[in-house]
Amino acid sequence: MSALVSERYPIPKTQFLKKDFEAHRWENVEPILLELEARSLGNAGELEQWLLDRSELDAQIAACASRFMVATACKTNDKEAEKTFLDFQTGLIPKLKPIDDRLDRRFLACPFRQELSPHDWHIYTRGTELAVELFREDNVVLEAEEEERTLEYGQITGAMMVDFQGETRTLAGMAHFAEDADRDVREQAWRTTAGRRLEDRQQLGQLFDDLIQLRQAMAQNAGYTNYREYKHLEMGRLDYQADDCLVLQDNIEKHVLPLLHEMDDARRRHLGLKILRPWDFAVDPRGASGFKPFANEQEQIAIGATLLGKVDSEFEADLYWMAEKNLLDLATRPHKRGGGFMDTFEDVRHPFIFSNSGFTHGDVETLVHEGGHAIHSLLSRHLEPVGYRMPPLEFAEVASMGMECLAMEHLEAVYPPLEAKRCVIQSLEGIVRSFAWIATIDSFQHQLYADVEMEESGRQALWLKLRERFGSRQDWSGLEEFRAWEWQRQLHLYEVPFYYVEYAIAQNGALQVWELYRQNPVETIKKYRQGLALGGAKSLGDLFSAAGLVFDPRGEKLAELMASVSQAWQKAQEED
Ligand SMILES: [Zn+2]
């Protein structure tokens, strides 16, 4: 590796901690915390240094969490990795939290706090005030238990394998069959996958019941009758209310569903069908065969890098730099967690991208999406304290979904023209479809946690009602059981409750980026970079506005944005 490459994002030197500080050992961490707790703070300068020292420790601890989590995601059957992660989450973290709370209180009580620059410390302060308000010692053990239980979801689903067309495959490895031109193949693949999921429905149902009870208990401990209100605050949602989400759901129904149904109709006509079945939604309705844009990880990276490079040449260099630094693990293999994510190793401030890729354009989109997160991480790596390098999800997903929209404008650079056009149509339909799905999942959660005694039958009835309200027109006859349990495939319900509406708020922002980019690419990328460089150091309103966008948690811009999507979608059809 050349010196030049390794210096692209140099590892910051620790100022406060020893060079080889091991933050996963309590015997190392405890004395540092006690020193912070006891240190005298005689003026604003000393207070600020105290905050930065604390941040350095927090970054080391966050890096441990990330590295251990990544190890388990890459190998869900690695017992040792699992034990290390669990020891950390259930051993060190619970010991840490009460002292963290005392340090938070110390900060809030410090008279010199008023002398700190509000420009720099306002967001940190309001976050600390919220943390102190919500912290309950009783919840520490419940949070550790929740962490442990959520790992089960990954284990159960990660172990799901199917035999299909003479090969044993992961569920992610089945994705490209959903695009097969042969309807029988699609149906068989769909039934095989859904059937495999169904085998574990009772176990997954029980796990979910347990998680709901745990979560409800946490809310009550913190003085909330309902987990919904508690969790919205616990997620730091200070710039909008839980009830705004309900308005957003209504606006999605009003402005997105008509276009979704129009798209479904076109799909049905192109496929020459009377009615769509669940396996008819991923195939190209205009008859192009299942397109496999790449055959291995290197080719996938090359496509992703070219797309990022069309947006900004620095972004392409960033992705290749990550590849060289072993910061990408994309290809599918057995015992790998599903989905994709980016996480930053905060000790070195380097982003890492995980995915469980098949060989479809959707996997290219995942790489571009996570690439957007990685670039966000790199653009904001200079910020202090560490919390400012962790943008709120509503804006973090603007970076990633925005990048997907930007890349969509350049697909002809990597695919044959027909495939590029097909992928644009597919992406636009995907955006519309995702709004509808987000409304389904979000509404499901709002109602589930409003009635924590709801039984499985009630849950299924609710699910079916929401699938009617926000779903495509499709025929599930004979598949009722698959449908009733369909919600279990949504990882977020298990692992990160209420983390979903962010995608709709951010998709709204991403579509704004896309509209602006089509008018003025240079200025739009300049602003996009400016917004991303602020990390999480500002309120949502300020982050969106720095990026040249409107923060719109209630979806009031959806009518206008859907009109643009509809227009682009119509145009792509006409060119066909
Ligand atoms: Zn994302």
Side-chain angles (χ1 to χ4, degrees), residues 358-428:
F359 304 98
T360 67
H361 172 61
D363 298 303
V364 170
E365 282 181 318
T366 300
L367 176 57
V368 167
H369 176 105
E370 303 308 336
H373 284 310
I375 279 149
H376 203 173
S377 166
L378 291 170
L379 283 172
S380 58
R381 72 192 295 268
H382 60 286
L383 294 169
E384 299 287 1
V386 62
Y388 284 2
R389 305 199 289 273
M390 300 170 177
L393 299 165
E394 295 81 354
F395 190 69
E397 297 295 334
V398 174
S400 54
M401 293 171 147
M403 192 70 91
E404 284 185 65
C405 288
L406 297 170
M408 184 172 71
E409 294 296 304
H410 300 290
L411 289 177
E412 73 286 354
V414 287
Y415 297 159
L418 178 71
E419 298 295 356
K421 201 189 304 171
R422 168 187 172 242
C423 291
V424 167
I425 295 173
Q426 198 186 61
S427 294
L428 293 172

Side-chain angles (χ1 to χ4, degrees), residues 400-460:
S400 54
M401 293 171 147
M403 192 70 91
E404 284 185 65
C405 288
L406 297 170
M408 184 172 71
E409 294 296 304
H410 300 290
L411 289 177
E412 73 286 354
V414 287
Y415 297 159
L418 178 71
E419 298 295 356
K421 201 189 304 171
R422 168 187 172 242
C423 291
V424 167
I425 295 173
Q426 198 186 61
S427 294
L428 293 172
E429 292 185 2
I431 287 168
V432 169
R433 218 168 282 292
S434 76
F435 272 114
W437 184 254
I438 292 162
T440 313
I441 297 294
D442 197 45
S443 181
F444 190 55
Q445 303 200 71
H446 278 264
Q447 295 183 62
L448 279 185
Y449 288 97
D451 175 12
V452 290
E453 300 302 326
M454 193 184 290
E455 307 221 327
E456 182 55 51
S457 59
R459 200 143 68 200
Q460 295 186 353

Side-chain angles (χ1 to χ4, degrees), residues 2 72 105 154 156 225 286 410 440 453 493 576:
S2 74
T72 60
R105 286 168 198 275
I156 296 167
T225 50
R286 279 144 36 267
H410 300 290
T440 313
E453 300 302 326
L493 295 171
D576 194 17

Side-chain angles (χ1 to χ4, degrees), residues 34-184:
L34 295 177
E35 188 276 322
L36 285 169
E37 199 175 2
R39 191 190 298 180
S40 83
L41 302 174
N43 55 53
E46 286 178 11
L47 173 61
E48 193 157 75
Q49 190 56 50
W50 181 86
L51 287 163
L52 294 175
D53 289 350
R54 188 181 172 196
S55 166
E56 196 176 304
L57 175 66
D58 287 345
Q60 296 293 320
I61 293 169
C64 286
S66 299
R67 290 178 191 285
F68 297 157
M69 186 275 288
V70 163
T72 60
C74 290
K75 246 182 143 183
T76 55
N77 64 338
D78 183 339
K79 291 290 164 204
E80 200 164 319
E82 185 192 319
K83 187 178 177 308
T84 306
F85 185 39
L86 274 180
D87 284 351
F88 179 79
Q89 292 292 345
T90 61
L92 186 134
I93 295 294
K95 288 188 197 135
L96 181 71
K97 283 180 178 173
I99 305 187
D100 259 341
D101 180 58
R102 298 205 297 272
L103 295 178
D104 283 346
R105 286 168 198 275
R106 180 146 198 238
F107 166 68
L108 293 177
C110 180
F112 305 111
R113 185 162 68 81
Q114 314 305 332
E115 293 170 37
L116 296 180
S117 147
H119 178 266
D120 293 339
W121 293 99
H122 166 65
I123 293 294
Y124 179 85
T125 303
R126 76 172 194 171
T128 306
E129 282 167 347
L130 181 65
V132 163
E133 190 189 318
L134 296 178
F135 179 80
R136 296 293 182 282
E137 190 122 25
D138 289 348
N139 275 346
V140 172
V141 60
L142 296 184
E143 284 160 9
E145 193 181 335
E146 183 191 25
E147 188 75 41
E148 191 170 350
R149 296 301 310 271
T150 55
L151 279 181
E152 287 174 33
Y153 183 78
Q155 287 157 358
I156 296 167
T157 52
M160 288 179 178
M161 305 287 292
V162 292
D163 289 319
F164 193 73
Q165 292 191 347
E167 266 182 57
T168 303
R169 302 166 196 267
T170 61
L171 298 195
M174 291 290 288
H176 70 274
F177 292 112
E179 299 187 19
D180 203 292
D182 185 334
R183 199 179 191 207
D184 290 334

